[in-house]
Amino acid sequence: MAISDEPQPVRNSSILNQTSVLRRRPSATSVNGLFDSSATVDGESSGEELVKDSSSDESVSGDQNIAANTEQNRVNDISTIKFAYRPSVPAHRRIKESPLSSDNIFRQLQSHAGLFNLCIVVLVAVNSRLIIENLMKYGWLIKTGFWFSSKSLRDWPLFMCCLSLAIFPLAAFVVEKLAQQKRISEPIVVLLHIIITTTAILYPIFVILRSDSAFVSGVTLMLLACIVWLKLISYAHTNYDLRALTNSIEKGEVLPNNMDYPYDVSFKSMTYFMVAPTLCYQPRYPRTPFIRKGWVFRQLVKLIIFTGVMGFIIEQYINPIVQNSQHPFKGDLLYAIERVLKLSVPNLYVWLCMFYCFFHLWLNILAELLRFGDREFYKDWWNARTVEEYWRMWNMPVHTWMIRHLYFPCLRSGIPKGAAVLIAFLVSALFHELCIAVPCHIFKLWAFSGIMFQVPLVLITNYLQNKFSNLMVGNMFFWFTFCILGQPMCVLLYYHDLMNRENKLDQS
């Protein structure tokens, strides 16, 4: 069959295209094209468009192709609007939920960005009014004395104690080096590590209790001492396990998994571990290829801004509220509830800013400077439906340490799971109490009791989640008990106990 030089009309294919498009709803472009007053459609000429075959020359310009396609689209639009949305066409074709229904609101595909923006606008408006009202009522309350004062000059023992904490990692390294060279036996290694870690936590406590230091300085030193203690425990425990695996391999035993790292006590790896944003030791870590200097600068600016926001909220809101309040357990119940609720909002702001500054900004800055690769310092704890989920997600360095060096060792020792969880909460409660009670010079066990109270809350929120699996009842219960009730109550309790202690000291 010869190929004709004459182009063939494609009226039939055009009709087929128009027929198929009748079965589809018109697109936005199609509808917009129908209301173009300058659009003129010639049905006959559109059906007479020519189709070039492979033997024809390629002399048709781009403008002519665009014009032909536009003309064809106009014909299709006319046909579509002529037959679409007729009264007989079904308007309801499938089952659909309302966007704010309980089954649809928490789906990932459903966007609520507009409502989120509304919440941001409302928060800015409401808090702007509160700031103006606070300034009109109290004036400018921010003083440098809270952060830097003449009393801070008396904190030099704490500063010297902070610098001397480096002695303990050095001592632990020496012990591990002697153990690697097999100059000391395993029981002696364990005993020396117990002495080093115990001294590392008791020495700062002794210095703080003997010094009349500022609260912020004492908290900073205690947090640093706790971090050093956790790191030393991980360093000793990991090397102990590496030695045990090495001895098993030397004896010809077949291990279920190969060793991830060779047993090599290196001063460089130990030094990197002590400054890295992690509490779990390993000889090597995943590293990023380079340091983003511009990114670090932007995070530092954010850190300064949000630290200033925390200071402003503490000075302008939290201090006046607690100073004008009574002891929550020694006054009128309704008045105490009112004080706690009034304190809950600024306390929540400070807590969220603290989380953002430390866990997101500071740890990421430190990781970037050290090229530390694993930066999952937290998970989406704000979506936690139970208290147990919250503790697993909000502080990943501590959670990983607990799992690696406390929880699973307890299980391997034959301790039941419930008892292992209770031990983990006991250790956490003890360190929370030390970090707050020691700088305050008050041992009322409020922080310890608050952490241990999380154990029944775990059971309650797990029950609520199992009973109301499709709702966020456990999440709301967590926010209320933890942020609206628990934290403001602890702030009031410690503040009044601290004020009573200072009054007794002044009277004596």
Side-chain angles (χ1 to χ4, degrees), residues 101-166:
S101 62
S102 58
D103 294 334
N104 204 27
I105 191 171
F106 295 114
R107 292 179 182 175
Q108 296 294 331
L109 297 178
Q110 181 65 47
S111 175
H112 298 91
L115 293 178
F116 178 78
N117 293 334
L118 174 62
C119 292
I120 295 297
V121 171
V122 171
L123 283 174
V124 171
V126 171
N127 287 282
S128 298
R129 185 194 66 82
L130 291 177
I131 292 173
I132 296 174
E133 181 182 354
N134 180 274
L135 293 175
M136 294 174 61
K137 184 177 182 179
Y138 298 106
W140 187 259
L141 298 178
I142 298 179
K143 300 177 182 178
T144 57
F146 179 79
W147 306 99
F148 306 99
S149 65
S150 59
K151 189 177 180 180
S152 301
L153 299 177
R154 292 181 290 178
D155 293 341
W156 66 267
L158 275 64
F159 179 71
M160 297 304 297
C161 177
C162 179
L163 295 179
S164 61
L165 288 178

Side-chain angles (χ1 to χ4, degrees), residues 321 324 332-344:
I321 293 174
N324 297 329
D332 183 34
L333 179 60
L334 291 178
Y335 178 81
I337 294 175
E338 187 272 337
R339 289 287 97 178
V340 168
L341 293 178
K342 188 173 183 178
L343 184 61
S344 63

